[in-house]
């Protein structure tokens, strides 16, 4: 049973436009949500997080939105840059045990 | 500042062989964990530790053992390798704040193939 789902395996966006990556979860006990970025042959690197008591967190070009009633999480990247091309994982946490989604491969086209 | 270091980066094992994947961190993090990444399944938690001498099972612990004798090191042992254990393994560490959450830092991964 997949508790955290990223239903889009891939996404292609033009450079300079907005990239929106989506994530759904089923367990209402999760209290912390994170996005990780992964390049090939490297480990995931932390990008941005949000506590379940908030609905938005912003860090530069990256904004994470949380809709608890819908159990939905999204990551907005504006403007998208070529270096943003990577696999993005959303993760949900309770007491630091992370549950990951399957990942979405984002490709930024020039 | 090395962060989280995993060795080896690549390994090929024969079915039935045993080996240990090494993980070390220099950030004085209490919490360490092991994940495996398989195509289409994201990362899944194998084992974790909240401090030296304390370990617990994650989502997919069968076939793996861990120990935590020091804060810095958290080795993962494959007792008798099986083809189903072919995967990319990631070690991670983070500060431990009890019920509060902090972001995890990951190593570069070990790509293991069992033939």
């Amino acid at each position: 049973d997949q508790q955290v789902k990223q239903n889009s395996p891939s996404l292609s966006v033009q450079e300079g436009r907005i990239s929106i990556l989506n994530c759904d979860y089923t367990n209402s006990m999760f209290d912390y949500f994170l996005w990780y970025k992964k390049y090939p042959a490297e480990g995931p690197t932390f990008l941005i997080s949000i506590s379940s008591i908030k609905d938005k967190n912003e860090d530069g070009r990256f904004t994470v939105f949380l809709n608890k009633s819908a159990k939905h999480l999204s990551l907005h990247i504006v403007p998208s840059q070529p270096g943003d091309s990577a696999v993005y994982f959303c993760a949900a946490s309770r007491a630091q045990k992370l549950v990951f989604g399957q990942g979405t491969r984002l490709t930024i086209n020039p | 500042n090395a962060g989280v270091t995993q060795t080896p980066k690549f390994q090929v094992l024969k079915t039935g062989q045993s080996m240990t994947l090494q993980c070390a961190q220099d950030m004085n993090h209490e919490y360490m964990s092991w994940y495996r990444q398989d195509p289409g399944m994201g990362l899944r938690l194998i084992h974790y530790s909240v401090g030296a001498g304390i370990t617990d099972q994650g989502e997919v612990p069968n076939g793996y053992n861990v120990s935590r004798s020091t804060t810095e090191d958290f080795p993962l042992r494959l007792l008798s390798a099986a083809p189903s254990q072919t995967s990319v393994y990631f070690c991670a560490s983070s500060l431990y704040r009890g019920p509060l959450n902090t972001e995890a830092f990951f190593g570069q991964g070990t790509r293991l193939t069992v033939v």
Side-chain angles (χ1 to χ4, degrees):
Chain A
D1 180 31
Q2 193 84 25
Q3 296 187 69
V4 178
K5 289 185 181 179
Q6 293 175 256
N7 291 317
S8 298
S10 62
L11 177 67
S12 187
V13 174
Q14 196 167 5
E15 182 179 357
R17 306 293 274 265
I18 184 171
S19 295
I20 300 176
L21 295 95
N22 294 303
C23 179
D24 297 297
Y25 63 97
T26 58
N27 189 344
S28 58
M29 299 299 287
F30 291 131
D31 54 12
Y32 197 63
F33 302 89
L34 308 92
W35 284 94
Y36 281 85
K37 177 179 179 179
K38 186 181 180 306
Y39 293 119
E42 294 185 9
T45 55
F46 170 74
L47 196 55
I48 192 169
S49 62
I50 187 167
S51 164
S52 61
I53 62 173
K54 296 187 175 181
D55 55 19
K56 178 182 175 181
N57 188 27
E58 202 169 348
D59 184 1
R61 296 187 297 114
F62 303 92
T63 303
V64 56
F65 295 93
L66 176 62
N67 182 334
K68 283 186 67 178
S69 60
K71 294 190 177 68
H72 180 80
L73 189 69
S74 64
L75 174 68
H76 293 210
I77 306 173
V78 183
S80 299
Q81 299 174 354
D84 296 330
S85 293
V87 176
Y88 289 78
F89 290 98
C90 71
S93 177
R94 180 166 176 81
Q96 295 193 280
K97 292 172 73 172
L98 293 171
V99 179
F100 283 85
Q102 307 96 312
T104 297
R105 182 177 302 277
L106 176 65
T107 302
I108 306 301
N109 302 308
Chain B
N1 189 357
V4 179
T5 303
Q6 290 184 236
T7 55
K9 286 189 169 48
F10 302 94
Q11 183 71 50
V12 178
L13 286 180
K14 293 183 177 179
T15 298
Q17 285 185 316
S18 63
M19 79 158 294
T20 299
L21 279 63
Q22 301 292 343
C23 176
Q25 52 93 7
D26 62 359
M27 297 174 282
N28 204 28
H29 286 168
E30 304 94 339
Y31 192 93
M32 296 186 73
S33 50
W34 277 100
Y35 293 85
R36 57 177 289 173
Q37 183 192 5
D38 301 295
M41 302 193 72
L43 286 79
R44 291 180 293 167
L45 181 63
I46 304 171
H47 285 286
Y48 65 98
S49 167
V50 300
I54 306 169
T55 63
D56 207 344
Q57 297 181 350
E59 182 186 354
V60 287
N62 292 341
Y64 307 95
N65 271 359
V66 292
S67 60
R68 185 91 180 272
S69 56
T70 67
T71 300
E72 295 79 18
D73 300 298
F74 191 43
L76 178 72
R77 296 185 188 84
L78 280 71
L79 308 173
S80 177
S84 61
Q85 294 178 305
T86 293
S87 187
V88 182
Y89 292 84
F90 290 100
C91 177
S93 76
S94 57
L95 292 170
Y96 183 59
R97 291 292 179 262
L100 300 178
N101 293 280
T102 60
E103 58 266 23
F105 295 83
F106 284 81
Q108 289 200 316
T110 296
R111 184 174 294 274
L112 176 69
T113 302
V114 182
V115 298

